[in-house]
Amino acid sequence: MLRLIRQFATILATMRAAIAVAASAEGHRMPAASDLRRLGISEADYRAIHI
Amino acid sequence: MKRGRDTAALFIAAGLAVVGAVVLWDSARLADLGGYSGLGPASVPRVVGFGLLGLALWTVIAALRGEFPERPAQNPAPVLWIVAGLAAQLMLLHAAGFSIATGILFAFTARGFGKRNMALSLSVGIALSFAVWCVFSQLLMLHLPAGPIEQLIFRRG
Amino acid sequence: MDAYTFLLQGLATASEPAMLLYALIGVTLGTAVGVLPGIGPALTVALLLPVTYRLDPAGSLIMFAGIYYGGMYGGSTTSILLNTPGESASIITALEGNKMARKGRGGPALATAAIGSFIAGLIATLLLAFLAPSIVKIALVFGPREYFALMVLAFVTVSAAFGDSALRGLTSLFLGLALACIGIDQLTGQARLSFGVPDLLDGIEVTTMAVAMFAVGEALFIAGQRVRQDDEVTAVKGSVWMSLQDWRRSWKPWLRGTAIGFPIGAMPAGGAEIGTFLSYAAEKKLTKHPEEFGNGAIEGVAGPEAANNASAAGTLVPLLTLGLPTSATAAIMLAGFQQFGLQPGPLLFATNPTLVWGLIASLLIANAMLLVLNLPLIGLWVKLLTIPRHWLYAGILLFATLGTIGANPSSFELGMLLAFGVLGYVMRLFGYPIAPIVVGLILGPMAEQQLRRALSISQGDWTTLLQSPIAAVLLGLAALAFIVPLILRARGKGEVLSQMAADED
């Protein structure tokens, strides 16, 4: 049960990070490092993309 | 990334408060014919107006706490070039016709994006706008204002 | 009749030569705007609205849908070859895709993106076709209060729930709602917020607002930016075809991307890009080659590319069945329906099944066209990017003002375009999302009308909104969608704080 809740929390947190990164991308801003990390995106690689 | 007080955001809050106040002021002079529903034409604007006032307050708090994201550095000159281009187009549209007015917008925008050769971009812009005018006003029947150039080629009103 | 029969009939409609031509124009334009930075599908459809005013409604809508699908394809090409996503939904493709291209594996990267997009588009469009009739059946019992509740849910999710800040999302939404009040009140005929200006009596034109926000605001913002890089095309070296190994590593991410993207698109979450980030995170977690991630892992291209196309189809589910737009592009497409006097929703399935099913079926055709159009023509699309930025943006503004002048050739309308353009610029500068203001302007009057209808039926009794179980559930969801993200955001801040504390140790 506890594991289920924890998994659910992880999914929600990943979702939140994806939404935050999407919002930053839309506004041409650099997303927060913690959000990128949660999604497994390397910050340096993201910075290299010409947005 | 907490920073200090955000003055620009305080201006936004003031702007929101003004818009909210205008909406409320306008709704006050409407005759509220609620009818059966109890909701008249002024009801929704009232909710929106108070909502904007509330958001203005929230913005003040966020601004004082420095919660707005950092703003990207901006060069004012290119922005002003494009705004000037749009303003010139809207003022010249009926006097000079679509092609010249839009050609000027085209050249000003190109200037804003760093193209300095205005003579070139102006002629490209006017030629392109004229081609667009021909296609859209003659083939697709849109009403695009005609000026000296358009009247020279198509001798009609 | 079931969905299958309807779909076959729709295919017959969509295979008419004229419809095929509209679809072809749509996907070609869509791919082009997907490739070009600065123009997205939302803007393109907004620009085309005044131009298509006199054309065939079914054909125009098929063209708009083709643009939406095409935009999702086009963005991947430039992401992979140039590290320059033409669309925010293709950002994640650049991460692994460009790495692959640099290693001489650009061909397989492009192939897995195109084939994955095709498969996702196919599955998701079929899902749309088979889900739509059941949703329509539920929605047919909807009365004014259920519709009002649905719109409240849309307002909350578009503005507060899914942005990075509830304050800025709500501010954008309320500005849209305030603008929506301008003009003659639908029920009593009184002029609101028009200040005696006759031009304001008809209200704010949705297309003027959308074009100003997406074209003028964006152009001003890009022009003002200080950083500029030069793009360098990575030539496609080596085989264009995917090896057996590539296929083996791609098919699961395609299916997973579809499974993630479709529901995200259908939820009022706004934007196809959320699904792409989630798909990337999922692929990275599940891969058997973790060492390749960050160095050109094919899964990182296959999954997100499938997700963004599936999202596009998912967005059409609530738009077509309920008349509910969940993203900026969908909101503009709703304006496209309204321009022809059509209101998408359950009734449209009953009154105009030929059009609805023709549109759904045309998506299948557009999807196939895109696969053919994209793989062999990549060289052509890349050439598009050699257009210098100053000509590109000057051209964008030329067409942006053309649409506005064409709809209403007055200096006042152009003044509105300029004013909203500056507003859009300021909003971008301060990190306000654009979708809520557009959705507020479009849905605001509809929500007001439904609420007033619901309350006239109940004679002013507000509890009527909660007496219908469907409306009550929808309003409950709206409340949850408002509160839960606030808690999550607070938690997110907590994580950052604990992270900072850990860094200091």
Coordinates of all heavy atoms in Angstrom, one line a residue, chain B residues 8 12 16 22 26 29-31 36-37 39 41 44-45 58 62 68-69 71 73-75 78-79 82 86 89-90 93-94 106 109-110 113 115 121 136 140 143-145, chain C residues 51 167-168 171 185 188 190-193 195 216 219-221 223-224 226 390-391 393-394 397 401-402 405 409 411 414 418 425 429-430 432 448 451-452 455-456 459-460:
Chain B
A8 N 8.8 46.3 -11.6 CA 8.1 46.1 -12.8 C 6.8 45.4 -12.6 O 5.7 45.7 -13.1 CB 8.9 45.4 -13.9
I12 N 2.6 46.0 -13.1 CA 1.6 45.1 -13.7 C 0.4 45.0 -12.7 O -0.8 45.0 -13.1 CB 2.2 43.7 -13.9 CG1 3.2 43.7 -15.0 CG2 1.1 42.6 -14.2 CD1 3.8 42.4 -15.4
L16 N -3.5 45.8 -13.6 CA -4.6 44.8 -13.4 C -5.7 45.5 -12.5 O -6.9 45.3 -12.8 CB -4.1 43.6 -12.7 CG -3.2 42.6 -13.5 CD1 -2.7 41.5 -12.6 CD2 -4.0 42.0 -14.6
V22 N -12.1 49.5 -14.0 CA -12.8 49.9 -15.2 C -14.0 49.0 -15.5 O -15.1 49.4 -15.8 CB -11.9 50.0 -16.5 CG1 -12.7 50.2 -17.7 CG2 -10.9 51.2 -16.3
D26 N -17.9 50.1 -15.3 CA -18.8 49.9 -16.5 C -20.0 49.1 -16.1 O -21.1 49.4 -16.5 CB -18.0 49.3 -17.6 CG -18.9 49.1 -18.9 OD1 -19.0 50.1 -19.6 OD2 -19.4 48.0 -19.1
R29 N -23.1 50.9 -14.4 CA -24.1 51.7 -15.1 C -25.0 50.8 -16.0 O -25.9 51.3 -16.6 CB -23.4 52.8 -16.0 CG -22.3 52.2 -16.9 CD -22.1 53.0 -18.1 NE -21.6 52.0 -19.1 CZ -22.4 51.4 -19.9 NH1 -23.6 51.7 -20.1 NH2 -21.9 50.4 -20.7
L30 N -24.8 49.5 -16.0 CA -25.7 48.6 -16.8 C -27.0 48.4 -16.0 O -27.0 48.3 -14.8 CB -25.1 47.3 -17.0 CG -23.9 47.3 -18.0 CD1 -23.2 45.9 -17.9 CD2 -24.3 47.6 -19.4
A31 N -28.1 48.5 -16.7 CA -29.4 48.1 -16.0 C -29.4 46.6 -15.8 O -29.2 45.8 -16.8 CB -30.6 48.5 -16.9
Y36 N -35.5 35.9 -14.7 CA -35.7 34.7 -13.8 C -34.4 34.2 -13.2 O -34.4 33.7 -12.1 CB -36.3 33.5 -14.7 CG -37.7 33.7 -15.1 CD1 -38.1 33.7 -16.4 CD2 -38.7 33.8 -14.1 CE1 -39.4 33.8 -16.8 CE2 -40.0 33.9 -14.5 CZ -40.4 34.0 -15.8 OH -41.7 34.1 -16.2
S37 N -33.3 34.4 -13.9 CA -32.1 33.8 -13.4 C -31.5 34.5 -12.3 O -30.7 34.0 -11.5 CB -31.1 33.7 -14.6 OG -30.7 35.0 -15.0
L39 N -29.4 36.6 -12.8 CA -28.1 37.0 -13.4 C -28.3 38.0 -14.5 O -29.0 37.6 -15.5 CB -27.4 35.8 -13.9 CG -26.5 35.0 -12.9 CD1 -25.7 34.0 -13.7 CD2 -25.6 35.9 -12.1
P41 N -26.7 41.3 -17.2 CA -25.5 41.5 -18.0 C -24.4 42.0 -17.2 O -23.2 41.9 -17.6 CB -26.0 42.6 -19.0 CG -27.2 43.2 -18.5 CD -27.9 42.1 -17.7
V44 N -21.6 38.9 -14.6 CA -20.3 38.3 -15.0 C -19.2 39.3 -15.0 O -18.1 39.1 -14.4 CB -20.4 37.5 -16.3 CG1 -19.0 37.1 -16.8 CG2 -21.3 36.3 -16.1
P45 N -19.4 40.5 -15.6 CA -18.3 41.5 -15.5 C -18.0 41.8 -14.0 O -16.8 42.1 -13.7 CB -18.9 42.7 -16.2 CG -19.9 42.2 -17.1 CD -20.5 40.9 -16.5
W58 N -2.7 39.7 -5.3 CA -1.9 38.6 -5.3 C -0.5 38.9 -6.0 O 0.6 38.5 -5.6 CB -2.6 37.4 -6.0 CG -2.0 36.1 -5.8 CD1 -0.7 35.8 -5.3 CD2 -2.5 34.8 -6.3 NE1 -0.5 34.4 -5.4 CE2 -1.6 33.8 -6.0 CE3 -3.7 34.5 -6.9 CZ2 -1.8 32.5 -6.3 CZ3 -4.0 33.1 -7.2 CH2 -3.0 32.1 -6.9
A62 N 3.3 38.7 -4.7 CA 4.3 37.9 -5.4 C 5.5 38.9 -5.7 O 6.7 38.5 -5.7 CB 3.7 37.3 -6.6
F68 N 8.6 36.5 -9.2 CA 8.5 36.4 -10.7 C 9.7 35.8 -11.3 O 10.8 36.0 -10.7 CB 8.2 37.8 -11.3 CG 6.8 38.1 -11.3 CD1 6.1 38.5 -10.2 CD2 6.1 38.0 -12.5 CE1 4.7 38.8 -10.2 CE2 4.7 38.3 -12.6 CZ 4.1 38.7 -11.4
P69 N 9.6 35.0 -12.4 CA 10.8 34.5 -13.0 C 11.7 35.6 -13.5 O 11.2 36.6 -13.8 CB 10.3 33.6 -14.1 CG 8.9 34.2 -14.4 CD 8.4 34.7 -13.1
R71 N 13.7 37.8 -15.9 CA 13.3 38.2 -17.2 C 14.5 38.1 -18.1 O 15.6 38.5 -17.7 CB 12.8 39.6 -17.2 CG 11.3 39.7 -16.7 CD 10.8 41.1 -16.8 NE 11.2 41.9 -15.7 CZ 10.9 41.7 -14.4 NH1 10.1 40.7 -14.1 NH2 11.3 42.5 -13.5
A73 N 17.2 39.1 -20.8 CA 17.7 40.5 -21.3 C 17.1 40.8 -22.6 O 17.0 40.0 -23.5 CB 19.2 40.4 -21.3
Q74 N 16.7 42.0 -22.8 CA 16.0 42.4 -24.1 C 16.7 43.7 -24.6 O 17.1 44.6 -23.8 CB 14.5 42.7 -23.8 CG 13.7 41.4 -23.6 CD 13.2 40.8 -24.8 OE1 12.6 41.4 -25.6 NE2 13.4 39.5 -25.0
N75 N 16.8 43.7 -25.9 CA 17.3 45.0 -26.6 C 16.0 45.8 -26.9 O 15.2 45.3 -27.6 CB 18.0 44.7 -27.8 CG 19.4 44.1 -27.5 OD1 20.0 44.3 -26.5 ND2 19.9 43.2 -28.4
P78 N 15.2 46.9 -31.4 CA 14.5 46.1 -32.4 C 13.0 46.1 -32.1 O 12.2 46.1 -33.0 CB 15.1 44.7 -32.2 CG 16.4 44.9 -31.5 CD 16.2 46.1 -30.7
V79 N 12.6 46.0 -30.8 CA 11.2 46.0 -30.5 C 10.6 47.2 -30.9 O 9.5 47.2 -31.5 CB 11.1 45.8 -28.9 CG1 9.6 45.8 -28.5 CG2 11.7 44.5 -28.5
I82 N 9.9 47.4 -34.7 CA 8.7 46.6 -35.2 C 7.4 47.4 -34.8 O 6.5 47.5 -35.6 CB 8.7 45.2 -34.6 CG1 10.0 44.5 -35.2 CG2 7.5 44.5 -35.0 CD1 10.2 43.1 -34.6
L86 N 4.4 48.7 -37.3 CA 3.0 48.4 -37.2 C 2.2 49.7 -37.1 O 1.2 49.9 -37.7 CB 2.7 47.5 -36.0 CG 3.1 46.1 -36.1 CD1 3.2 45.4 -34.8 CD2 2.1 45.4 -37.1
Q89 N 2.1 51.4 -40.5 CA 1.2 50.7 -41.4 C -0.3 51.1 -41.1 O -1.0 51.4 -42.0 CB 1.3 49.2 -41.2 CG 0.4 48.4 -42.2 CD 0.2 47.0 -41.8 OE1 0.1 46.7 -40.6 NE2 0.0 46.1 -42.8
L90 N -0.6 51.2 -39.8 CA -2.0 51.5 -39.5 C -2.4 52.9 -39.9 O -3.5 53.2 -40.3 CB -2.4 51.1 -38.1 CG -2.2 52.0 -36.9 CD1 -3.6 52.7 -36.7 CD2 -1.9 51.2 -35.7
L93 N -2.4 53.1 -44.0 CA -3.1 52.0 -44.7 C -4.1 52.6 -45.7 O -4.1 52.3 -46.9 CB -3.8 51.1 -43.8 CG -4.6 50.0 -44.4 CD1 -3.6 49.0 -45.1 CD2 -5.4 49.2 -43.4
H94 N -4.9 53.6 -45.2 CA -5.9 54.1 -46.1 C -5.4 55.2 -47.1 O -5.9 55.3 -48.2 CB -7.1 54.6 -45.3 CG -7.9 53.4 -44.7 ND1 -8.8 52.7 -45.4 CD2 -7.8 52.9 -43.5 CE1 -9.2 51.7 -44.7 NE2 -8.7 51.8 -43.5
F106 N 7.1 45.8 -43.5 CA 8.1 44.8 -43.8 C 9.5 45.2 -43.6 O 10.3 44.6 -43.0 CB 7.8 44.4 -45.3 CG 8.6 43.2 -45.7 CD1 8.0 41.9 -45.7 CD2 9.9 43.3 -46.3 CE1 8.8 40.8 -46.1 CE2 10.6 42.2 -46.7 CZ 10.0 40.9 -46.6
T109 N 10.3 45.8 -39.9 CA 10.5 44.5 -39.2 C 11.9 43.9 -39.5 O 12.6 43.5 -38.6 CB 9.4 43.5 -39.6 OG1 8.2 44.2 -39.4 CG2 9.5 42.3 -38.7
A110 N 12.2 44.0 -40.8 CA 13.5 43.4 -41.2 C 14.7 44.2 -40.5 O 15.7 43.7 -40.1 CB 13.7 43.5 -42.8
F113 N 15.2 43.1 -37.1 CA 15.9 41.8 -37.1 C 17.3 41.9 -37.7 O 17.9 40.9 -38.0 CB 15.1 40.7 -37.8 CG 14.1 40.1 -36.9 CD1 12.8 40.6 -36.9 CD2 14.4 39.0 -36.1 CE1 11.8 40.0 -36.1 CE2 13.4 38.5 -35.2 CZ 12.1 39.0 -35.3
K115 N 18.5 43.7 -40.5 CA 18.8 44.0 -41.9 C 18.9 45.5 -42.1 O 17.9 46.2 -42.0 CB 17.7 43.4 -42.8 CG 17.9 43.6 -44.3 CD 18.9 42.6 -44.8 CE 19.2 42.8 -46.2 NZ 20.4 42.0 -46.7
S121 N 15.2 46.4 -48.5 CA 14.1 45.7 -47.8 C 12.8 46.4 -48.1 O 11.7 45.8 -48.2 CB 14.3 45.6 -46.3 OG 14.7 46.8 -45.8
F136 N -4.8 38.2 -53.1 CA -5.9 38.2 -52.1 C -7.0 39.1 -52.5 O -8.2 38.7 -52.2 CB -5.3 38.4 -50.7 CG -4.6 37.3 -50.2 CD1 -3.2 37.1 -50.4 CD2 -5.3 36.3 -49.5 CE1 -2.5 36.0 -49.9 CE2 -4.6 35.2 -49.0 CZ -3.2 35.0 -49.2
L140 N -9.0 36.1 -54.2 CA -9.8 35.6 -53.0 C -10.8 36.6 -52.5 O -11.5 36.4 -51.6 CB -8.8 35.2 -51.9 CG -8.1 33.9 -52.2 CD1 -7.0 33.6 -51.2 CD2 -9.1 32.7 -52.1
H143 N -11.2 42.4 -49.0 CA -11.2 43.9 -49.2 C -9.9 44.4 -48.6 O -9.8 44.6 -47.4 CB -12.4 44.5 -48.4 CG -13.7 44.1 -49.1 ND1 -14.1 44.6 -50.3 CD2 -14.6 43.2 -48.7 CE1 -15.3 44.1 -50.6 NE2 -15.6 43.2 -49.7
L144 N -9.0 44.7 -49.5 CA -7.7 45.3 -49.0 C -7.6 46.7 -49.6 O -7.8 46.8 -50.8 CB -6.5 44.4 -49.5 CG -6.5 43.0 -49.0 CD1 -5.3 42.2 -49.7 CD2 -6.4 42.9 -47.5
P145 N -7.4 47.7 -48.8 CA -7.4 49.1 -49.3 C -6.4 49.3 -50.4 O -5.3 48.8 -50.4 CB -7.0 49.9 -48.1 CG -7.2 49.0 -46.9 CD -7.1 47.6 -47.4
Chain C
V51 N -8.8 34.1 -44.5 CA -8.7 33.8 -45.9 C -9.6 32.7 -46.3 O -10.1 32.6 -47.4 CB -7.2 33.3 -46.1 CG1 -7.0 33.0 -47.6 CG2 -6.3 34.4 -45.7
L167 N -0.9 32.0 -10.3 CA -1.1 33.4 -10.3 C -1.1 33.9 -11.8 O -2.0 34.6 -12.3 CB -0.1 34.2 -9.5 CG -0.1 35.7 -9.7 CD1 -1.4 36.4 -9.3 CD2 1.1 36.3 -9.0
R168 N 0.0 33.6 -12.5 CA 0.1 34.1 -13.9 C -0.9 33.5 -14.8 O -1.4 34.2 -15.7 CB 1.5 33.9 -14.4 CG 2.5 34.8 -13.6 CD 3.8 34.9 -14.3 NE 4.5 33.6 -14.3 CZ 5.2 33.2 -13.3 NH1 5.3 33.9 -12.2 NH2 5.9 32.0 -13.3
T171 N -4.3 35.2 -14.0 CA -4.3 36.6 -14.5 C -4.5 36.6 -16.0 O -5.3 37.3 -16.5 CB -2.9 37.2 -14.2 OG1 -2.6 37.1 -12.8 CG2 -2.9 38.7 -14.6
D185 N -24.2 42.5 -25.0 CA -24.6 41.4 -24.2 C -25.6 40.5 -25.0 O -26.6 41.1 -25.6 CB -25.3 41.9 -22.9 CG -25.9 40.7 -22.1 OD1 -25.1 39.7 -22.0 OD2 -27.0 40.8 -21.7
T188 N -29.5 40.6 -23.3 CA -30.3 41.8 -23.1 C -30.0 42.9 -24.1 O -30.7 43.9 -24.2 CB -30.1 42.4 -21.7 OG1 -28.7 42.8 -21.6 CG2 -30.4 41.5 -20.6
Q190 N -27.6 45.0 -24.2 CA -26.9 46.2 -23.7 C -25.4 46.1 -24.0 O -24.8 45.1 -24.1 CB -27.0 46.2 -22.1 CG -28.4 46.4 -21.6 CD -28.5 46.7 -20.2 OE1 -28.0 47.8 -19.8 NE2 -29.0 45.8 -19.4
A191 N -24.9 47.3 -24.3 CA -23.5 47.4 -24.7 C -22.6 47.4 -23.4 O -22.9 48.1 -22.5 CB -23.2 48.7 -25.5
R192 N -21.6 46.5 -23.4 CA -20.7 46.4 -22.2 C -19.3 46.8 -22.6 O -18.8 46.4 -23.7 CB -20.7 45.0 -21.7 CG -22.1 44.5 -21.2 CD -21.9 43.3 -20.3 NE -21.4 42.1 -21.1 CZ -21.6 40.9 -20.7 NH1 -22.2 40.6 -19.5 NH2 -21.1 39.9 -21.3
L193 N -18.7 47.6 -21.8 CA -17.3 47.9 -21.9 C -16.9 48.5 -23.3 O -15.9 48.2 -23.8 CB -16.4 46.7 -21.6 CG -16.3 46.3 -20.1 CD1 -15.7 45.0 -20.0 CD2 -15.5 47.3 -19.4
F195 N -17.5 51.8 -24.2 CA -17.2 53.2 -24.1 C -17.6 54.0 -25.2 O -16.9 55.0 -25.7 CB -15.7 53.3 -23.8 CG -15.1 52.4 -22.8 CD1 -14.4 51.3 -23.2 CD2 -15.4 52.6 -21.5 CE1 -14.0 50.4 -22.2 CE2 -15.0 51.7 -20.5 CZ -14.2 50.6 -20.9
V216 N 2.6 38.8 -33.5 CA 3.3 40.1 -33.2 C 4.0 39.9 -31.9 O 5.2 40.3 -31.8 CB 2.2 41.2 -33.1 CG1 2.9 42.5 -32.8 CG2 1.4 41.3 -34.4
A219 N 7.1 37.8 -32.4 CA 8.1 38.5 -33.2 C 8.9 39.6 -32.4 O 10.1 39.7 -32.4 CB 7.5 39.2 -34.4
L220 N 8.1 40.3 -31.6 CA 8.7 41.4 -30.7 C 9.7 40.7 -29.7 O 10.8 41.2 -29.5 CB 7.6 42.1 -30.0 CG 6.7 43.1 -30.8 CD1 5.6 43.6 -29.9 CD2 7.6 44.2 -31.4
F221 N 9.2 39.6 -29.2 CA 10.1 38.9 -28.2 C 11.4 38.4 -28.8 O 12.4 38.6 -28.2 CB 9.3 37.8 -27.5 CG 10.0 37.1 -26.3 CD1 9.9 37.7 -25.1 CD2 10.7 36.0 -26.5 CE1 10.5 37.2 -24.0 CE2 11.3 35.4 -25.4 CZ 11.2 36.0 -24.2
A223 N 12.8 39.4 -31.5 CA 13.6 40.5 -32.0 C 14.4 41.1 -30.9 O 15.6 41.5 -31.0 CB 12.8 41.6 -32.7
G224 N 13.8 41.1 -29.7 CA 14.5 41.8 -28.5 C 15.5 40.9 -27.9 O 16.3 41.4 -27.1
R226 N 18.8 38.9 -26.9 CA 20.2 39.3 -27.2 C 21.0 38.1 -27.8 O 21.9 38.4 -28.6 CB 20.8 39.7 -25.8 CG 20.2 41.0 -25.4 CD 21.3 41.9 -24.8 NE 20.6 43.2 -24.5 CZ 20.6 43.7 -23.3 NH1 21.2 43.1 -22.3 NH2 20.0 44.9 -23.1
H390 N 15.5 37.8 -40.8 CA 14.8 39.1 -41.0 C 13.7 39.0 -42.1 O 12.6 39.6 -41.9 CB 15.8 40.2 -41.3 CG 16.8 39.9 -42.4 ND1 18.0 39.4 -42.1 CD2 16.7 40.0 -43.7 CE1 18.7 39.2 -43.2 NE2 17.9 39.6 -44.2
W391 N 14.0 38.3 -43.2 CA 12.9 38.1 -44.2 C 11.8 37.3 -43.6 O 10.6 37.5 -43.9 CB 13.4 37.4 -45.4 CG 14.5 38.2 -46.2 CD1 15.5 37.7 -46.9 CD2 14.5 39.6 -46.5 NE1 16.3 38.7 -47.5 CE2 15.7 39.9 -47.3 CE3 13.7 40.7 -46.2 CZ2 16.0 41.1 -47.7 CZ3 14.0 42.0 -46.6 CH2 15.2 42.2 -47.4
Y393 N 10.6 36.9 -40.5 CA 9.7 37.5 -39.5 C 9.0 38.7 -40.2 O 7.8 39.0 -39.9 CB 10.5 38.0 -38.3 CG 10.6 36.8 -37.3 CD1 11.8 36.0 -37.3 CD2 9.6 36.5 -36.5 CE1 11.9 35.0 -36.4 CE2 9.7 35.4 -35.6 CZ 10.8 34.6 -35.6 OH 10.9 33.6 -34.8
A394 N 9.7 39.4 -41.2 CA 9.0 40.4 -41.9 C 7.8 39.8 -42.7 O 6.7 40.4 -42.7 CB 10.0 41.1 -42.9
L397 N 4.9 39.0 -40.3 CA 4.1 40.1 -39.9 C 3.3 40.6 -41.1 O 2.1 41.1 -40.9 CB 5.0 41.3 -39.4 CG 5.5 41.0 -38.0 CD1 6.1 42.2 -37.4 CD2 4.4 40.4 -37.0
T401 N -0.8 40.9 -40.6 CA -1.6 42.0 -40.8 C -2.6 41.8 -42.0 O -3.7 42.3 -42.0 CB -0.8 43.3 -41.0 OG1 0.2 43.0 -42.1 CG2 0.0 43.7 -39.8
L402 N -2.1 41.0 -43.0 CA -3.0 40.7 -44.1 C -4.3 40.1 -43.6 O -5.4 40.5 -44.0 CB -2.3 39.8 -45.1 CG -3.3 39.2 -46.1 CD1 -3.7 40.2 -47.2 CD2 -2.6 38.0 -46.8
I405 N -6.4 42.8 -41.8 CA -7.0 43.8 -42.7 C -8.1 43.1 -43.6 O -9.1 43.7 -43.9 CB -5.9 44.4 -43.6 CG1 -4.9 45.1 -42.8 CG2 -6.5 45.3 -44.7 CD1 -3.6 45.5 -43.5
P409 N -11.0 45.8 -42.8 CA -10.0 46.8 -43.2 C -10.1 48.1 -42.5 O -10.4 49.1 -43.1 CB -10.2 46.9 -44.8 CG -11.6 46.5 -45.0 CD -12.0 45.6 -43.9
S411 N -8.4 50.9 -39.6 CA -7.2 51.3 -38.8 C -7.4 50.9 -37.3 O -6.5 50.5 -36.6 CB -6.9 52.8 -38.8 OG -6.6 53.1 -40.2
L414 N -6.4 47.3 -36.8 CA -4.9 47.2 -36.8 C -4.3 47.8 -35.5 O -3.3 47.3 -34.9 CB -4.3 48.0 -38.0 CG -4.3 47.3 -39.3 CD1 -3.7 48.2 -40.4 CD2 -3.5 46.0 -39.2
L418 N -2.0 45.9 -32.8 CA -0.7 46.4 -32.3 C -0.8 46.3 -30.7 O 0.1 45.9 -30.1 CB -0.5 47.8 -32.8 CG 0.7 48.6 -32.2 CD1 2.0 47.8 -32.4 CD2 0.8 50.0 -32.8
Y425 N 3.7 40.6 -25.9 CA 5.1 40.8 -25.7 C 5.4 40.9 -24.2 O 6.3 40.2 -23.6 CB 5.7 42.0 -26.4 CG 7.1 42.4 -26.1 CD1 8.1 41.6 -26.4 CD2 7.3 43.6 -25.4 CE1 9.4 41.9 -26.1 CE2 8.6 44.0 -25.1 CZ 9.7 43.1 -25.4 OH 11.0 43.5 -25.1
L429 N 7.4 38.4 -21.7 CA 8.5 38.9 -20.9 C 8.4 38.5 -19.4 O 9.4 38.1 -18.8 CB 8.6 40.4 -21.1 CG 9.9 41.1 -20.9 CD1 10.9 40.5 -21.9 CD2 9.7 42.6 -21.2
F430 N 7.2 38.6 -18.9 CA 7.0 38.3 -17.5 C 6.6 36.9 -17.2 O 6.2 36.6 -16.1 CB 6.0 39.3 -16.9 CG 6.6 40.7 -16.7 CD1 6.6 41.6 -17.8 CD2 7.1 41.1 -15.5 CE1 7.2 42.8 -17.6 CE2 7.6 42.3 -15.3 CZ 7.7 43.2 -16.4
Y432 N 4.0 35.1 -18.4 CA 2.5 34.8 -18.4 C 2.3 33.8 -19.6 O 2.7 34.1 -20.7 CB 1.7 36.0 -18.6 CG 1.6 36.9 -17.3 CD1 2.5 37.9 -17.2 CD2 0.7 36.7 -16.4 CE1 2.5 38.7 -16.0 CE2 0.6 37.5 -15.2 CZ 1.5 38.5 -15.1 OH 1.5 39.3 -14.0
E448 N -20.7 32.1 -19.9 CA -21.7 33.0 -19.4 C -23.1 32.7 -19.8 O -24.0 32.6 -19.0 CB -21.3 34.5 -19.8 CG -22.3 35.5 -19.2 CD -22.1 36.9 -19.6 OE1 -21.2 37.1 -20.5 OE2 -22.7 37.8 -19.1
L451 N -24.4 29.5 -18.1 CA -24.7 29.8 -16.7 C -26.0 30.5 -16.5 O -26.9 30.1 -15.7 CB -23.6 30.6 -16.0 CG -23.8 31.0 -14.6 CD1 -23.9 29.8 -13.7 CD2 -22.8 32.0 -14.0
R452 N -26.2 31.5 -17.4 CA -27.5 32.3 -17.3 C -28.6 31.4 -17.7 O -29.7 31.5 -17.1 CB -27.4 33.6 -18.1 CG -26.5 34.6 -17.4 CD -26.0 35.7 -18.2 NE -27.0 36.7 -18.6 CZ -26.7 37.8 -19.3 NH1 -25.4 38.0 -19.7 NH2 -27.6 38.7 -19.6
L455 N -29.4 29.1 -14.8 CA -30.0 29.7 -13.7 C -31.4 30.2 -14.0 O -32.3 30.4 -13.1 CB -29.2 30.9 -13.1 CG -27.9 30.4 -12.4 CD1 -27.1 31.6 -11.9 CD2 -28.3 29.5 -11.2
S456 N -31.7 30.5 -15.3 CA -33.1 30.8 -15.6 C -34.0 29.6 -15.5 O -35.1 29.7 -15.1 CB -33.3 31.4 -17.0 OG -32.2 31.8 -17.6
Q459 N -34.7 29.2 -12.0 CA -35.2 30.4 -11.4 C -34.3 31.0 -10.3 O -34.7 31.4 -9.3 CB -36.6 30.2 -10.8 CG -37.5 29.5 -11.8 CD -38.9 30.1 -11.8 OE1 -39.3 30.8 -10.9 NE2 -39.6 29.8 -12.9
G460 N -33.0 31.0 -10.7 CA -32.1 31.7 -9.8 C -31.5 30.9 -8.7 O -30.9 31.4 -7.8

